[in-house]
Amino acid sequence: MVLDEEFVRSATVKEAPAPTRKRRWPRYAALAAVVVAAAFVVLRYTSSSSDEAVAPKPTASAPASKASALATAAPAESNRPARPMIPLAKAFPAHVSAGTSGTFTKLGTAVMKSCTEPDSVGPSLAADITTGKGCVGEEIALYKDAHNNQFNLAIFTMKDPRDTVKLVTRLSMAFDDYEVAAQAPPPGSGLPTLPADSGMVQSFTGQGRAMVVGLAQWSDGRTRDYQQLGDRLSPLLKNVSKNVARYENEG
């Protein structure tokens, strides 16, 4: 299956009203397995009594998200052992062109212990993954651009491509829910750890078994100009998604 044969779903939000549900990451936890670059930190989810992400006090301009889902038509499930995830170096190049905005630079990558770690995903996404056919693993990366804006990428490789279609569709429809954690920059990067109420956009693509999630935040965490922020994320997400699609098509 090549890229131009993929089934496409999309939903774009430029300036949304204050979301009723939102992530809450009041503390940090170090990643367990870090590959290629120095260790960095994932912001932790804290669940409320209803086991949903808790919304902080709304501000005059709340973060919006840009969700665009690109889901591949899924073949029948195979009884063969699950193919390994894409190698980190293949998925996440050291540098990616940002077009007229310069270059994205990779700050760190890691393989998570599982696809449902509380430090990595929210409770709703974890539940959706658990009720599916299973997940091979999750890989994450953190990039910056020439203006020190921060970009997070996460790849969830499922055992059944049909689960990928379901996940991408559900997440892209819930534009005001953040179920994938952002990462704090590694020590020595010169970048600040942005507060939990910083503005953010999110976007999703599906490539065979793999869901690719992109998150973007302005360098100062400001809560405006979301369409421009989503436009800045787009070339990085497309590059990583193409790398994943190429790997998935090899199988």
Side-chain angles (χ1 to χ4, degrees), residues 10 209 242:
S10 66
R209 302 171 303 157
K242 287 181 179 179

PDB file of all heavy atoms in Angstrom, residues 10 209 242:
ATOM      1  N   SER A  10      -9.852  13.749   8.056  1.00  0.00           N
ATOM      2  CA  SER A  10      -9.201  14.905   8.648  1.00  0.00           C
ATOM      3  C   SER A  10     -10.210  15.798   9.347  1.00  0.00           C
ATOM      4  O   SER A  10     -11.376  15.847   8.980  1.00  0.00           O
ATOM      5  CB  SER A  10      -8.451  15.714   7.588  1.00  0.00           C
ATOM      6  OG  SER A  10      -9.357  16.275   6.672  1.00  0.00           O
ATOM      7  N   ARG A 209       0.301  -0.656  10.243  1.00  0.00           N
ATOM      8  CA  ARG A 209       0.046  -0.967  11.650  1.00  0.00           C
ATOM      9  C   ARG A 209       0.305   0.214  12.563  1.00  0.00           C
ATOM     10  O   ARG A 209      -0.063   0.183  13.751  1.00  0.00           O
ATOM     11  CB  ARG A 209       0.961  -2.111  12.109  1.00  0.00           C
ATOM     12  CG  ARG A 209       0.862  -3.415  11.357  1.00  0.00           C
ATOM     13  CD  ARG A 209       1.992  -4.342  11.795  1.00  0.00           C
ATOM     14  NE  ARG A 209       3.293  -3.692  11.575  1.00  0.00           N
ATOM     15  CZ  ARG A 209       4.425  -4.018  12.219  1.00  0.00           C
ATOM     16  NH1 ARG A 209       4.416  -4.968  13.134  1.00  0.00           N
ATOM     17  NH2 ARG A 209       5.546  -3.392  11.953  1.00  0.00           N
ATOM     18  N   LYS A 242       6.178   9.215   6.375  1.00  0.00           N
ATOM     19  CA  LYS A 242       6.674   8.573   5.156  1.00  0.00           C
ATOM     20  C   LYS A 242       7.711   7.505   5.479  1.00  0.00           C
ATOM     21  O   LYS A 242       7.732   6.435   4.857  1.00  0.00           O
ATOM     22  CB  LYS A 242       7.265   9.623   4.211  1.00  0.00           C
ATOM     23  CG  LYS A 242       6.225  10.489   3.523  1.00  0.00           C
ATOM     24  CD  LYS A 242       6.877  11.480   2.578  1.00  0.00           C
ATOM     25  CE  LYS A 242       5.836  12.345   1.870  1.00  0.00           C
ATOM     26  NZ  LYS A 242       6.475  13.342   0.969  1.00  0.00           N
TER      27      LYS A 242
END
